[in-house]
């Protein structure tokens, strides 16, 4: 789902961190392979994507807004640490 500007969200039920990161990598690589020129960019010659992944147990008491915020934190971490990459985190028992 597109939830703002250039930001999209993928909800992946029954998917662990490893699976979510694999899907994110497939998305990242597919966009890179398109080799779309990014003429007005001061960052890259071609369009790339940075992805933030956050996984949580279905039994977590975390609200949906917090889950989106945590994924967004990972997205910005990916951008700040080089772009065209994936950063991820998962909820631990201590986070709940």
């Amino acid at each position: 789902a597109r939830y703002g500007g250039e930001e999209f969200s993928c909800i992946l039920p029954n998917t662990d961190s490893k699976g979510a990161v694999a899907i994110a990598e497939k998305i990242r690589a597919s966009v890179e392979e398109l080799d779309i020129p990014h003429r007005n960019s001061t960052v890259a010659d071609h369009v790339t994507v940075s992805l933030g992944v956050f996984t949580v147990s279905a039994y977590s008491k975390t609200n949906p807004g917090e889950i989106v915020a945590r994924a967004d934190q990972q997205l910005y971490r990916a951008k700040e640490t080089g772009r065209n990459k994936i950063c991820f985190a998962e909820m631990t028992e201590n986070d709940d």
Side-chain angles (χ1 to χ4, degrees):
R2 181 176 178 193
Y3 74 93
E6 298 174 345
E7 295 182 342
F8 294 81
S9 177
C10 297
I11 310 296
L12 305 169
N14 302 314
T15 306
D16 63 9
S17 314
K18 186 176 178 181
V21 169
I23 291 167
E25 174 55 25
K26 187 170 185 170
I27 293 167
R28 189 207 62 75
S30 293
V31 170
E32 186 174 52
E33 287 174 16
L34 292 171
D35 204 28
I36 301 168
H38 204 200
R39 290 180 187 91
N40 297 324
S41 174
T42 59
V43 178
D45 293 335
H46 294 87
V47 173
T48 62
V49 294
S50 299
L51 298 103
V53 174
F54 183 69
T55 58
V56 61
S57 165
Y59 302 105
S60 169
K61 296 175 188 169
T62 305
N63 70 55
E66 176 66 17
I67 294 168
V68 171
R70 300 280 291 270
D72 207 41
Q73 288 173 347
Q74 295 306 310
L75 164 64
Y76 282 95
R77 188 172 137 226
K79 287 181 175 187
E80 292 167 359
T81 59
R83 298 182 177 262
N84 194 28
K85 65 190 290 185
I86 300 157
C87 287
F88 74 97
E90 57 189 326
M91 179 166 282
T92 64
E93 287 185 37
N94 296 334
D95 291 336
D96 199 13

